[in-house]
Each structure stands twice: as C-alpha cells, then as structure tokens.
C-alpha cells in the first residue's frame, strides 16, 4: 500500500469519460470555422487545453480572420451544451473512490485542463464538489500540462508537500506533469483516452478498486 497524505485528480478520462465527447465537439468546432483537421491527430493533444490545438491549426492554415480564443469559446459553449444534456457519465468507480478517500479524511484536489465552466458543470452535475479542498482549471494558468504548475499549486493549496501527493491521471502529458512536480502518479488506463504512453507512471490500473492509498 502506498501511503500518501493527499490525492489530486485529473478530470477528463479519470472522473468523466469525456474524450469521445471532446473529440466530437472539437471536430464540430473545426467544421464551424471551416478549418480542415484530421480527427486522428486529436490524440496528440490529449491532456492539453483546446486553445493549444486551435492555435496550432490556425497557424498551419494561415488563418487570421479568427482567433484561438474565438474557437475555444465556441467549443466550450458547445461542450457545455452536451455536458448539461446528460450525455456524459462518471467513469465507473471514480465517484465511489472519491467518496472513500474523503471518508478516510484524505484531502483531495481537482487539477484539470478543462475550462472553469466545464469543470464546475461536472462538479455540480455529479454532486462531488464538496469532496474537494482545492479545484483548479488549467484555463486559469499560463501553461498547461505537461507543465507541472497545476499540480504544484494544488499541493500548495492542500498544504501538502509534492512528494506526499498521489496524482490520478490518464494521459501522457498529465503523467509527465505529475512526475515533473515530484509526485507519485497512478495511471488509470481508460480505453477511450486514445493511445497514451503510461510508462512514466508509478503504477497503472484499469479499475479504481485496485488503487490503495
């Protein structure tokens, strides 16, 4: 058993099985703005903010009539519509795991690349906001995962040293961020998260009941 003083959760692919929805919404956004994009390339951007993929695509096609911020705003609004429609369900076992940790008195934080509105929608729709001492969106920070800032700030908010934190992630970039922060990382293997290199994680699981804290 790995004894840690706090646990920090990623959200997409860990608490909600949202990658298929994210992919659909991003492709809808590209279509809305008339930008060609190969859906197979989405896997390279998993775990990062939408603005990054939009900036890269606009630059590639030399489009200056629209900004990444415009595209991100459209995508976020469209995603929220889907989110609030009830299409997205919790990853099996994730909410129960969060509740078990909370009942054991372990401080919890949420550190997600998703924007604040989407983060809040998930917390409220799943009724799990009260379990987290800290909630932080990558949209509030200048750099996204794999930069470790979001995890270091979360640990600071929890009042726990980075080396005493466990992170639960599902993407290569998220795991890199956790390890760069000096934290123990459990990789949840989500079949909908695409081809992710989980090798840097300290352990890999496919069921939340297999995680011991």
């Amino acid at each position: 058993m790995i004894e840690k003083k706090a646990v920090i959760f990623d959200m997409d692919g860990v608490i909600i099985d949202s990658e298929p929805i994210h992919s659909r919404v991003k492709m809808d956004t590209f279509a809305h703005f008339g930008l060609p994009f190969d859906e197979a390339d989405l896997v390279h951007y998993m775990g990062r903010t939408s603005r990054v993929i939009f900036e890269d695509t606009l630059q590639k096609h030399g489009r200056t009539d629209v900004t990444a911020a415009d595209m991100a705003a459209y995508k976020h609004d469209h995603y929220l519509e889907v989110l609030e429609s009830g299409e997205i369900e919790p990853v099996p076992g994730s909410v129960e795991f969060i509740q078990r940790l909370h009942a054991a008195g372990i401080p919890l934080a949420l550190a997600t690349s998703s924007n604040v509105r989407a983060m809040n929608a998930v917390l409220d729709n799943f009724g799990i906001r009260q379990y987290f001492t800290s909630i932080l969106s990558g949209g509030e920070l200048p750099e996204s995962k794999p930069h470790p800032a979001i995890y270091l700030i979360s640990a600071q908010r929890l009042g726990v040293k980075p080396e005493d934190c466990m992170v639960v992630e599902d993407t290569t970039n998220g795991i890199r961020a956790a390890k760069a922060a000096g934290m123990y990382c459990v990789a949840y293997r989500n079949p909908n998260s695409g081809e992710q290199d989980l090798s840097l994680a300290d352990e890999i699981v496919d069921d939340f009941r297999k995680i011991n804290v």
Side-chain angles (χ1 to χ4, degrees):
M1 177 181 291
I2 304 299
E3 293 187 2
K4 293 297 177 183
K5 296 179 180 178
V7 179
I8 306 175
F9 287 84
D10 176 40
M11 187 176 79
D12 291 301
V14 172
I15 297 176
I16 55 172
D17 197 9
S18 58
E19 278 306 329
I21 305 298
H22 273 296
S23 296
R24 190 188 89 192
V25 171
K26 286 173 184 173
M27 294 306 296
D28 288 347
T29 301
F30 287 125
H32 177 79
F33 288 97
L35 279 165
F37 190 88
D38 186 346
E39 188 170 358
D41 289 334
L42 288 175
V43 67
H44 302 304
Y45 292 91
M46 283 186 174
R48 306 182 73 184
T49 61
S50 297
R51 187 168 298 204
V52 174
I53 187 173
F54 295 146
E55 286 175 346
D56 287 355
T57 306
L58 288 170
Q59 183 177 19
K60 177 182 178 180
H61 295 285
R63 288 281 297 273
T64 58
D65 58 313
V66 63
T67 67
D70 294 332
M71 296 183 69
Y74 178 88
K75 183 261 180 182
H76 294 332
D77 288 342
H78 187 24
Y79 174 61
L80 282 171
E81 290 175 357
V82 176
L83 189 65
E84 292 166 354
S85 74
E87 285 189 41
I88 297 178
E89 297 292 334
V91 168
S94 62
V95 172
E96 292 80 2
F97 181 54
I98 290 168
Q99 292 170 334
R100 176 161 65 87
L101 293 173
H102 179 74
I106 298 174
L108 306 179
L110 183 69
T112 175
S113 294
S114 288
N115 70 95
V116 174
R117 290 170 60 196
M119 178 182 71
N120 287 334
V122 170
L123 289 170
D124 294 336
N125 286 352
F126 292 170
I128 56 175
R129 181 184 295 275
Q130 70 271 24
Y131 301 125
F132 293 98
T133 300
S134 169
I135 57 172
L136 183 59
S137 162
E140 302 174 88
L141 303 176
E143 296 191 68
S144 61
K145 302 172 186 178
H147 194 281
I150 193 167
Y151 284 123
L152 292 172
I153 294 171
S154 295
Q156 185 178 36
R157 288 183 174 185
L158 293 175
V160 177
K161 295 178 180 179
E163 60 265 31
D164 290 328
C165 293
M166 173 189 285
V167 171
V168 185
E169 268 284 359
D170 71 309
T171 66
T172 304
N173 283 326
I175 294 167
R176 288 172 60 195
K179 296 311 298 178
M183 299 178 178
Y184 187 92
C185 185
V186 176
Y188 173 70
R189 192 187 299 279
N190 187 324
N192 289 325
S193 294
E195 292 296 325
Q196 300 293 326
D197 180 2
L198 308 180
S199 62
L200 288 179
D202 296 285
E203 62 178 293
I204 302 171
V205 301
D206 56 9
D207 188 327
F208 280 98
R209 291 173 295 183
K210 296 179 180 179
I211 303 177
N212 294 312
V213 182

